[in-house]
Amino acid sequence: RQLARNVALAQGIRNQQPGSSIKAPDGTRCACGERASLLHVPSTMKLWPWVQRLFRFHSPSFLPEVHDEALFRSRNEQGEELGGGFWGSEDSKDLEIMRQGTLEWARDTGSSVVSGNCATTPTSLGNYAHIDFPNGPAGEVQSLKLKAQTNASQDAHLFFGTIYTVPNGLQSLGLELVIDAFEGTKSILRWGIQGEEIAEFRGRILERGQWTSLWVDIKSSGEVQVAAGESGNVFLDIALDITGTYDLTHGKIYAGSLGQKPAHWLLCRE
């Protein structure tokens, strides 16, 4: 490394001498004292509109003007800011495909990622994870709709409401959904964590070794529907009398599971 440094210093000193020049790849020579710089524009960043503007700004005035199409085709769409938004994608459709791919990767690996109205998280040991969606409900809403995917084989938990930490335990206000509880024999709705059971479905819902899709639709009027599978088969349907008490559509969303092996979740709020 010391030798390479000395060689670089020697070449630099030589290039600074009067009359010296540096030969460019195209055969031209840069006279000593000229301002020069090298900018590496990686990969598809050359297609970003702001890079095109940068190229035009630094184009030598003594050379014929080169249009964008002569080198790189500039993209037509960039978003609200000039600083980017395009990396390996052509338009908003490609960006959405990339976002969905990132979420699926995070779901499969058990990573925690939040993107738009979707989030991924691992859960285990009976602990609830608060899913903090950045784009929560604003103003008056009529329903809370959630789509979830999990690879839990049993005891998959979702909670809608608020969970409080108190000495030696938890307190909660809201609706708890447990899928394939009691060794996979039934799914239940309870008011509060391990609270009063208000509805049940007997039979297995979760698919062992695969991803199971779940849909939950909670209306401000108290109607609750829970469905499973790609076709959205409803297996729990109940009307709660909570008018004027607690609005579940503005409640927080939590996910959980039992057992030491983590269950992975992908949750999207509409």
Side-chain angles (χ1 to χ4, degrees):
R1 287 184 295 180
Q2 183 65 37
L3 177 61
R5 179 177 181 274
N6 291 337
V7 170
L9 287 173
Q11 290 178 341
I13 293 173
R14 182 188 62 189
N15 292 336
Q16 290 178 354
Q17 300 303 312
S20 63
S21 63
I22 302 175
K23 189 174 182 179
D26 61 357
T28 60
R29 293 181 177 275
C30 298
C32 179
E34 285 190 72
R35 298 181 60 186
S37 63
L38 175 66
L39 173 65
H40 176 211
V41 182
S43 186
T44 55
M45 186 182 286
K46 301 178 185 69
L47 306 179
W48 293 7
W50 72 266
V51 175
Q52 298 291 321
R53 289 192 288 272
L54 180 67
F55 289 162
R56 285 195 299 269
F57 180 81
H58 289 287
S59 178
S61 59
F62 52 85
L63 293 178
E65 182 179 358
V66 178
H67 298 286
D68 296 344
E69 289 77 6
L71 295 175
F72 311 103
R73 186 170 298 279
S74 177
R75 290 174 175 156
N76 295 324
E77 184 180 345
Q78 184 169 349
E80 296 179 358
E81 298 181 358
L82 298 179
F86 281 67
W87 185 260
S89 59
E90 293 292 338
D91 50 31
S92 56
K93 181 180 179 181
D94 285 347
L95 286 175
E96 178 58 28
I97 293 174
M98 290 180 61
R99 189 183 78 90
Q100 187 62 32
T102 301
L103 288 169
E104 291 177 358
W105 168 85
R107 176 201 66 183
D108 294 344
T109 58
S111 304
S112 296
V113 170
V114 178
S115 177
N117 63 329
C118 295
T120 63
T121 188
T123 60
S124 62
L125 300 174
N127 296 316
Y128 270 115
H130 174 214
I131 313 302
D132 189 11
F133 295 102
N135 300 327
E140 184 177 353
V141 295
Q142 298 300 318
S143 65
L144 183 158
K145 294 183 178 181
L146 180 76
K147 178 183 179 181
Q149 289 182 322
T150 182
N151 63 352
S153 58
Q154 64 182 40
D155 290 300
H157 293 234
L158 289 170
F159 187 85
F160 306 88
T162 306
I163 298 176
Y164 305 91
T165 301
V166 296
N168 302 320
L170 297 173
Q171 287 186 354
S172 62
L173 178 63
L175 187 67
E176 183 179 46
L177 169 64
V178 186
I179 308 296
D180 286 2
F182 304 102
E183 299 184 353
T185 58
K186 67 177 182 178
S187 300
I188 55 177
L189 280 172
R190 298 189 288 216
W191 187 255
I193 296 178
Q194 298 184 353
E196 179 184 358
E197 185 176 316
I198 54 180
E200 71 171 34
F201 170 82
R202 292 191 174 273
R204 176 167 287 277
I205 297 295
L206 299 174
E207 302 178 23
R208 294 181 181 272
Q210 300 182 41
W211 293 100
T212 301
S213 296
L214 302 168
W215 283 266
V216 181
D217 186 359
I218 302 175
K219 293 182 171 53
S220 57
S221 60
E223 298 177 39
V224 179
Q225 282 191 338
V226 185
E230 293 301 326
S231 57
N233 297 318
V234 177
F235 63 93
L236 285 172
D237 190 350
I238 188 174
L240 302 176
D241 185 13
I242 56 175
T243 305
T245 57
Y246 185 77
D247 188 357
L248 290 172
T249 62
H250 284 81
K252 298 178 181 179
I253 299 175
Y254 304 80
S257 61
L258 299 181
Q260 293 185 347
K261 182 180 179 180
H264 301 173
W265 292 86
L266 168 60
L267 305 103
C268 296
R269 180 169 187 168
E270 296 184 10

